[in-house]
Amino acid sequence: LETERISYLESNDSEVWIHTSTGESLRTKTKISQWEQQLDDRFLRIHRSFIVNTARLGNCRPTHVEIGGTTIEISRKYREAVRRRLKTAAEA
């Protein structure tokens, strides 16, 4: 799977679902923390259970992002880091 096809990753108990730009969902046993270390800087952790591909983000709000028709909450823990990262990306 090419990383550019990944829209977001979702942790669900002991498995992680990879959601792609084509609407596919692939299951993996690799932990979300391991994915976070392996993926490049296009990817951003926005919640304990979600990593998103910033290149695929649609609407971004202070409390949530939209990606591929799905709204994902940005948890309070990650909100400031997400704000800084997306602001920097917008200025580039």
Side-chain angles (χ1 to χ4, degrees):
L1 175 67
E2 302 88 28
T3 54
E4 54 273 351
R5 286 185 46 216
I6 298 172
S7 292
Y8 65 95
L9 292 91
E10 177 182 12
S11 177
N12 190 350
D13 295 325
S14 63
E15 57 194 21
V16 171
W17 286 90
I18 302 169
H19 300 275
T20 70
S21 57
T22 58
E24 283 181 279
S25 294
L26 309 167
R27 187 178 69 182
T28 176
K29 293 288 187 183
T30 304
K31 294 179 180 180
I32 199 161
S33 58
Q34 293 171 302
W35 279 109
E36 186 177 21
Q37 292 173 358
Q38 294 174 11
L39 292 167
D40 61 44
D41 61 359
R42 286 176 291 188
F43 292 86
L44 178 61
R45 184 89 175 251
I46 65 166
H47 189 279
R48 163 177 70 86
S49 301
F50 290 96
I51 297 173
V52 298
N53 182 343
T54 58
R56 299 214 171 269
L57 288 179
N59 199 0
C60 298
R61 297 281 182 233
T63 59
H64 66 274
V65 296
E66 293 176 13
I67 189 165
T70 301
T71 300
I72 302 172
E73 178 187 353
I74 302 170
S75 71
R76 283 179 294 167
K77 176 181 177 180
Y78 292 96
R79 222 166 262 166
E80 182 59 26
V82 170
R83 186 191 65 77
R84 280 195 315 267
R85 171 83 178 277
L86 295 179
K87 180 181 176 190
T88 302
E91 293 171 350

